[in-house]
């Protein structure tokens, strides 16, 4: 088998990229159309409208579309909304919280770090000692440990402080309830290759009117929100976008709006619960008590190494799950339920795990 054949025959259960539906895959195989015209503008405007609807964004919200990985949208949000002289609080409970800290520090935004370990933040105690901040940055689902934060609690803090609520919803959007109005979210960062189950390449930031009012002249040419918003008003982007992913995004959003986002949450929840029941007799334990529908992080309860399990799933079954790094390398691995993942798919993973463990 060639290297390429080997790659495309993977059975993917990683938290990005995720399993894609057949009709979306077929749309990825068409000729890339020209995009500086009315037809493409209409498609972009419809994507913006549908995204705002699915996220239940407040009236007057807008979307910035970036052709980039999700991290670019995190960095662009910091560059365009935060300022060097005004402190921001960042929830840091894993790799992605740490990434927000690093981005703020690089851009000289003073950071008040809230270091937590699988604390849902619901009782507000982790936030109680924080001084006055200009923004709170939180990862909806900390993908490195499979843990959900209580966005209603972080929203309460932001309301009391009158500060921006910036949410990295990349690995929660579509599978887990995200509601910009009820969760008071001002900037919602999402990307194409998680719950939306598209190829990587498009990252989006949904901005409430409060966030739009804070967009300032940024220090970046490519990531300048003001120019994206100006061109976006007529359904265009300043530079060539990932045109083919836009075609797939449009179809995916059309389907979600047609069936309702609640059906997506329920699908992911039932698949996640099925998987968790299926592995309950194996020497594995959920790593978090506040798990998302998107993914399950599992801790080894016997002496086996999590990294060895990940390797054997790949070498013996072509099943790709996500290993952890650092201290968790031998203790934890992660199985995604995002995208077009079915109960049958989960049966394959459960059977493979039962054989290995
Ligand atoms: C995947 C992910 C990102 C972005 O990762 P990229 O590799 O830059 O696309 C950011 N935040 C969270 C929570 C994620 O799960």
């Amino acid at each position: 088998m060639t290297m390429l054949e080997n790659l495309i025959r993977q059975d993917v259960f990683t938290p990005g990229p995720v399993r894609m539906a057949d009709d979306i895959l077929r749309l990825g195989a068409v000729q890339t159309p020209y995009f500086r015209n009315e037809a493409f503008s209409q498609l972009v405007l419809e994507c913006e409208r549908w995204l705002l609807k699915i996220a239940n964004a407040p009236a007057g919200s807008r979307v910035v579309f970036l052709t980039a990985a999700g991290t670019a949208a995190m960095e662009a949000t910091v560059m365009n909304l935060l300022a060097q002289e005004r402190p921001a609080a960042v929830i840091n409970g894993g790799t992605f919280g740490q990434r927000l800290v690093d981005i703020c520090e690089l851009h000289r935004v003073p950071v008040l770090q809230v270091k937590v370990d699988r604390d849902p933040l619901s009782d507000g105690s982790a936030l109680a000692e924080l001084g006055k901040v200009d923004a709170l940055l939180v990862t909806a689902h900390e993908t490195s440990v499979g843990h959900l934060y209580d966005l209603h609690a972080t929203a309460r803090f932001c309301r009391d402080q009158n500060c921006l609520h910036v949410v990295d919803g990349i690995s929660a959007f579509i599978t887990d309830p995200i509601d910009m109005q009820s969760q008071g979210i001002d900037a919602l960062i999402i990307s194409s290759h998680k719950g939306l189950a598209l190829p990587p390449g498009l990252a989006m930031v949904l901005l409430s009117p409060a966030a739009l009012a804070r967009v300032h002249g940024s220090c970046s040419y490519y990531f300048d929100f003001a120019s994206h918003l100006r061109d976006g008003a007529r359904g265009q982007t300043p530079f060539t976008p990932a045109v083919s992913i836009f075609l797939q995004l449009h179809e995916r959003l059309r389907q979600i709006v047609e069936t309702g986002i609640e059906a997506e949450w329920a699908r992911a929840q039932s698949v996640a619960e099925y998987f968790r029941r299926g592995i309950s007799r194996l020497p594995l334990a959920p790593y978090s008590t506040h798990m998302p529908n998107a993914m399950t992080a599992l801790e080894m309860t016997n002496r086996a190494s999590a990294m060895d399990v990940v390797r054997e799933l790949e070498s013996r079954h072509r099943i790709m799950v996500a290993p952890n790094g650092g201290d968790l390398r031998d203790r934890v691995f992660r199985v995604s339920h995002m995208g077009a993942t079915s109960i049958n798919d989960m049966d394959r993973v459960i059977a493979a795990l039962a054989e290995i463990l």
Side-chain angles (χ1 to χ4, degrees), residues 15 69-72 74 96 99 139 141 143 168 170-171 191 193-194:
T71 304
M74 296 160 73
F96 293 103
R99 189 171 299 182
T139 315
H141 159 210
T143 324
D168 170 356
I170 290 177
S171 61
S191 74
H193 60 299
K194 304 284 171 97

Side-chain angles (χ1 to χ4, degrees), residues 23-24 27 246-255:
D23 53 347
I24 300 296
L27 260 180
F246 256 111
L247 304 186
Q248 295 169 302
L249 175 68
H250 184 267
E251 176 56 17
R252 180 84 166 105
L253 295 176
R254 191 194 64 71
Q255 294 170 1

Side-chain angles (χ1 to χ4, degrees), residues 16-346:
V18 309
R19 301 183 78 77
M20 297 165 63
D22 289 341
D23 53 347
I24 300 296
L25 287 173
R26 279 193 296 274
L27 260 180
V30 306
Q31 165 66 45
T32 304
Y34 183 58
F35 62 98
R36 294 290 189 210
N37 59 18
E38 186 55 26
F40 192 73
S41 296
Q42 288 307 321
L43 179 131
V44 172
L45 288 171
E46 208 149 51
C47 286
E48 178 175 36
R49 216 162 39 241
W50 286 339
L51 279 169
L52 294 173
K53 182 180 165 67
I54 290 166
N56 195 29
S61 297
R62 294 284 309 279
V63 181
V64 169
F65 293 95
L66 303 169
T67 290
T71 304
M74 296 160 73
E75 183 166 27
T77 301
V78 168
M79 287 192 290
N80 283 272
L81 300 184
L82 305 189
Q84 294 191 356
E85 58 284 3
R86 300 206 292 239
V90 180
I91 306 297
N92 181 359
T95 309
F96 293 103
Q98 182 64 49
R99 189 171 299 182
L100 285 171
V101 170
D102 294 343
I103 291 170
C104 286
E105 287 181 343
L106 181 72
H107 292 280
R108 299 196 163 72
V109 173
V111 177
L112 301 180
Q113 228 183 121
V114 183
K115 279 246 186 196
V116 287
D117 182 14
R118 289 163 287 165
D119 175 351
L121 307 174
S122 301
D123 64 7
S125 60
L127 303 170
E129 302 297 307
L130 279 175
K132 184 78 189 138
V133 293
D134 212 35
L136 174 68
L137 283 62
V138 56
T139 315
H141 159 210
E142 176 48 77
T143 324
S144 61
V145 290
H147 178 77
L148 269 187
Y149 296 112
D150 181 346
L151 296 182
H152 292 286
T154 49
R156 268 195 302 280
F157 170 87
C158 292
R159 215 168 29 245
D160 293 346
Q161 282 246 6
N162 192 25
C163 74
L164 281 186
H165 193 206
V166 176
V167 175
D168 170 356
I170 290 177
S171 61
F173 189 61
I174 303 300
T175 52
D176 290 83
I178 294 281
D179 182 311
M180 286 182 73
Q181 289 189 59
S182 84
Q183 294 164 335
I185 300 172
D186 294 303
L188 177 66
I189 301 161
I190 61 175
S191 74
S192 54
H193 60 299
K194 304 284 171 97
L196 282 167
L198 308 173
L202 261 191
M204 293 142 274
V205 187
L206 282 63
L207 299 164
S208 75
L212 288 167
R214 289 273 293 271
V215 171
H216 54 72
S218 88
C219 52
S220 169
Y221 190 81
Y222 189 73
F223 294 116
D224 178 20
F225 280 3
S227 67
H228 278 85
L229 290 164
R230 200 162 46 240
D231 289 359
R234 56 186 169 85
Q236 285 288 317
T237 51
F239 317 105
T240 307
V243 176
S244 41
I245 305 177
F246 256 111
L247 304 186
Q248 295 169 302
L249 175 68
H250 184 267
E251 176 56 17
R252 180 84 166 105
L253 295 176
R254 191 194 64 71
Q255 294 170 1
I256 295 169
V257 167
E258 189 175 281
T259 49
I261 185 63
E262 295 81 3
E264 290 285 334
W265 301 338
R267 184 213 60 81
Q269 185 179 10
S270 69
V271 172
E273 285 175 355
Y274 181 84
F275 175 73
R276 290 163 195 168
R277 275 196 307 277
I279 51 95
S280 60
R281 286 163 195 277
L282 300 177
L284 298 167
Y287 189 59
S288 164
T289 49
H290 291 76
M291 289 187 281
N293 302 327
M295 195 193 82
T296 304
L298 290 166
E299 183 168 23
M300 310 300 303
T301 57
N302 62 9
R303 282 163 185 275
S305 152
M307 189 57 87
D308 289 345
V309 172
V310 171
R311 291 208 182 108
E312 285 192 39
L313 283 171
E314 177 179 359
S315 62
R316 283 161 62 175
H317 301 275
R318 290 183 195 289
I319 288 175
M320 309 300 292
V321 300
N324 271 60
D327 295 344
L328 298 178
R329 182 182 179 280
D330 289 310
R331 283 171 55 203
V332 175
F333 68 94
R334 297 163 295 149
V335 178
S336 161
H337 316 299
M338 291 183 265
T341 306
S342 67
I343 301 271
N344 287 342
D345 297 323
M346 288 296 107

